[in-house]
Amino acid sequence: MLPRTLVLLSLCLISQWVNADSDHPLLGGYPGAEIDESLNTEYEQFAMPVGPIEEGGELETERLVGDLSMLTYEIEGVSTLKVFENYRHALDELGAEVISICELEQCSADDRGRAELGAALAVRRSVNNHRRKPYFIRAQLDGAKGTVHVALFFGGYRGEVAVQQVIFEEVPLDDTLVSVSADYLTRGGEISPKRESRTDEQREQDHPLIARYPGAELSDSRAMEYERIDIPFGTVDADGEMGERLSLTGDLAQHTYALENVSTLKVIENYKAAVRKLDLTLDYECELEACGDSNAAKQLGGNVSVDGSVFNFYRKPYYFVARKKSAQGPLTVAVFVGGYNGDTTVQQVIVEEKGTETDLVKVDADQLYQDIQQTGKALVYGIYFDTDSATVKPESADALKAISDLLESHPELNLYVVGHTDDTGESDYNLSLSSRRAASVVDVLKDDYDVEMERLKAAGVGPYAPVAGNESDDGRRQNRRVELVRRL
């Protein structure tokens, strides 16, 4: 009677298995078997062999998507027949339905076919010499989340047997793993993801807009204010030359993350779901062969990586560029995902395009009046001072002329001219500086634009009434302003 020690645990535990250095909980190793190679990947695409190869024919496969486990065992002093019969008996005990089976010459009439059939199930995509006296079996059964496919190839060489084992569980995609902060786009929100598993240090390392994939380790990063970068907007040739590109200037953040036991497919799908939550539009994307050959994919990833190279991590590549226009300026997110030997890396780029401070200037008197009518105040950008100075610079003329035109058009209007600063430096000093700057604006309006002194009153509130967070350069930029407040 055949031993019954091969079936170790029930199907409900399959999806929980993450230890690639041990037997799979569904099927144990043959007694005395040594694990030679292993691979365990969440939500992978896999070409499952359908069955034997007809003479002169090609290997037929069925493409599956789900959680993949691959193991290669080596066993000494036993025949391929005995090992095969033990596994078949174990599958019978599980109630598995045999889909395809072959023995010896039935598997293929020649060495090439036998090697190709075994290689389709091998971790290293080769069985080397272990293709003699071959056996193959494919079966399936119902699992907790979907159909479980089992395929095994047994081949011998000089008294040693190699077992190529694939256990593949069809599972639905979970694309909720990458958390985002939509509040970041309005400046000042904190991340409050549905499933926050990061440490405080990891949260500090990540960009506040998009959290890392769970379990990812940060390999490299850089952040630059007002930097230029070219983002590939199409495939890249083997020499690294971009065809279409986006030439962007703004606040740049790049991150490289490393992951284990998860497919490039699952990672990219989670990033796509994340940017959709932020209402970004996928303007360009490519996957697998559409990203170019291996050299082109390597160059594509290198163009968005921190140090210009993805090294070996360009297999099974995915890439997208997503964009959104916002009140703060265009936002671009580019992500390249590549794999190598079961591991995955993510190259993430976020560019927040910014102009100069002149982009914030409101020089239209009618718009200033409309703002005052609606909210009782109007924000005025474009009144410039040197650092730590209260002297109004000449390039402030457009904004000052707009205020003068406003007062001339509406003689009934009296205003507080209120100075504001960001929160860098000492608060008491900023309060004093904002008051002196407001007084200087009033003086210039009186002296150079003939505005009646009694219609204006200067005040300064320093950093105490921000309109944006002070954590970013753009937020500080918005907080450095003059406000016109209706005075009764």
Side-chain angles (χ1 to χ4, degrees), residues 75 142 249 269 277 292 403 433 440:
I75 314 165
D142 293 331
T249 301
E269 290 296 339
K277 292 175 189 175
I403 298 172
L433 179 63
S440 293

Side-chain angles (χ1 to χ4, degrees), residues 197-206 212 216-217:
S197 58
R198 295 174 298 166
T199 64
D200 290 341
E201 181 183 9
Q202 290 173 335
R203 191 179 296 107
E204 182 70 23
Q205 293 170 340
D206 295 346
R212 70 183 64 191
E217 294 293 333

Side-chain angles (χ1 to χ4, degrees), residues 47-64:
M48 179 70 79
V50 172
I53 301 176
E54 299 294 334
E55 185 173 0
E58 299 295 326
L59 177 68
E60 293 186 27
T61 60
E62 176 186 359
R63 187 158 296 278
L64 304 174

